[in-house]
Structures are given as structure tokens and as C-alpha cells.
Amino acid sequence: GDAEKWAQVDAWFTEKLAPEGPDLKYTLANNADHGLPAHDVSALQGKMLALFIKMTRASRVLEIGTLGGYSTIWMAKALPHYGSVTTIEFNEHHAKVARQNIDNAGLTERVELHTGAALDVLPMLKAPFDLIFIDADKANNPRYLEWAIKLSKQGTVIIGDNTVRGGGVIDSETQDPNVQGLRHFIQMISEDERLEATAIQTVGEKGWDGFVMAIVNCPSC
Ligand code: DHB
Ligand code: MG
């Protein structure tokens, strides 16, 4: 079927363009060993985040939702030596496994991992960040967007994961709080004059989903 073909094409491009080093392979294996859900971005998506960091010459990156640190590691490896990823994980077990994966990748110095609710941690962070990846509980995306803008400067890039959910995003009658949060997040982006945005649907090994990406234009922030 289509889903199988999408996964095969992902595997082909991954081998050509975004092969995972031992650190990323270890991360996925270690996550599975510790019962973490396979909700990581794909290798090609991780590489895309890495390229965005290089394209924008980002050095301060914020990630909301670490899980096992797979995307964290892709991003940290793309940074200059003086760069850093600040990443926030609510689940203590996930954070412990992420810490192992980050240490194993030799990125301990480049990653600041906070364990706790993002809405408690975000107020303690020092602005600004150059790139912000939002990939946690989608019901809170509207709050995360407000914080992302507060922690931005002119030109900051904000990226949201899982913004299509198999087409669920266009269901205005949805009772799923995650899809409701997602829809509100998109509505806020569309109404905010400081944000210039687009959405890209993706298919692949992770099914049918997508990213929203925005640039912050706020001369006064
Ligand atoms: C889920 C969350 C994610 O961030 C993701 O990339 C895939 C799935 C989930 O909670 O189902
Ligand atoms: Mg995600």
C-alpha cells in the first residue's frame, strides 16, 4: 500500500542523504529498550532541522519536547562549537534516557536538558533563541507559541511538528484536545502580524503528517 511505499522511499533517501551515525542509531535502540514511544522525527526530518540551523546560522536553539533526544542530537550536531540546544522534557523517564543518549553522542556540553513542565521551565530561560522547535503535548501548543514569541528576536525561526495528523487538523468538530490545540496554534499564527508562516505536509516512515514553520518579524522585540 501507499504507507509501505512512503516508508521505502524514506529509507532510500535516508541512506543517500541522511544516514544515521552510531550516536543516532544508539538513541533509537536505547529508546526502544526503555519503552519510549517511537514518536521521534524521521532521519530525513532530523536532517532538515539540522539544515535549517545551518541555513540560518542559528547558535541558540530551543526544543520543547525532548522525548529520547533524537531530534536534539540532530540539532546539536548541526551547531557551531559555541552553540547550544536547550531542551525541555516533562517525563522523567524519557529525560533520563535522553541524557544517556546525549552523553553517548558526546554532546553533554552542548545540550541543556531541563526536566519539568515546559510552562514552568520556559519563564526561567534567557532570551533570545534563534530557532525554536515545538514538539511536545499538542494541546498546549497555543501556550508554547506565546512563549516562543517571547523568547524570540527579529528573524527567529519557529517550527512545529505534527501539524497534519493524518489530515485531522482540518476537522473543526474534533473533540481531541491535541487536535484542538493544534488548530488553535495555527489560527494564532495566521492572525499574528509578527509571524510569516507556511505548512508543509509530509509522508514517509512516520505516516502522513507535517511541519508548520514561521519567522518572527518583530522589530521591537
Ligand atoms: C505523537 C507525538 C509526536 O510528537 C510525534 O512526532 C508523533 C506522534 C503522539 O503523541 O502520538
Ligand atoms: Mg513530533
Side-chain angles (χ1 to χ4, degrees), residues 22 40 59 63 67-68 79 83 86 88 94-95 101 109 113 131-132 142 156 163 198:
D40 326 271
S59 63
E63 176 178 63
L67 186 60
L79 286 168
T86 298
I88 310 172
H94 296 175
N101 295 334
E109 305 291 298
L113 171 62
L131 184 142
I132 301 174
T156 292
T163 44
T198 192

Side-chain angles (χ1 to χ4, degrees), residues 37-41 45 67 135-136 138 161-162 165 178 206 209:
H39 291 167
D40 326 271
V41 299
Q45 291 166 345
L67 186 60
D135 189 19
K138 297 349 180 218
D161 193 24
N162 309 112
R165 312 295 4 230
N178 289 313
K206 302 288 170 173
D209 216 323

Side-chain angles (χ1 to χ4, degrees), residues 135-201:
D135 189 19
D137 51 322
K138 297 349 180 218
N140 274 319
N141 266 24
R143 260 83 59 193
Y144 298 153
L145 178 64
E146 286 168 357
W147 274 105
I149 295 167
K150 274 187 214 167
L151 295 170
S152 288
K153 61 177 176 53
Q154 173 64 33
T156 292
V157 173
I158 299 175
I159 300 165
D161 193 24
N162 309 112
T163 44
V164 176
R165 312 295 4 230
V169 68
I170 63 168
D171 177 7
S172 60
E173 307 294 309
T174 184
Q175 297 305 306
D176 178 341
N178 289 313
V179 179
Q180 287 172 343
L182 199 51
R183 288 176 56 81
H184 186 196
F185 171 69
I186 302 295
Q187 190 60 32
M188 286 168 69
I189 293 172
S190 81
E191 289 171 2
D192 194 318
E193 291 183 349
R194 296 166 296 182
L195 300 178
E196 225 180 324
T198 192
I200 292 294
Q201 301 189 67

Side-chain angles (χ1 to χ4, degrees), residues 17-43:
L17 304 178
E20 293 164 318
D23 45 1
L24 291 161
K25 288 197 167 116
Y26 173 91
T27 297
L28 294 183
N30 195 39
N31 288 353
D33 284 350
H34 289 87
L36 273 60
H39 291 167
D40 326 271
V41 299
S42 69

Side-chain angles (χ1 to χ4, degrees), residues 47-57 131 159 213:
K47 182 71 177 281
M48 186 188 78
L49 294 170
L51 290 180
F52 283 162
I53 286 170
K54 294 190 176 194
M55 288 170 183
T56 60
R57 293 169 168 74
L131 184 142
I159 300 165
M213 56 193 93

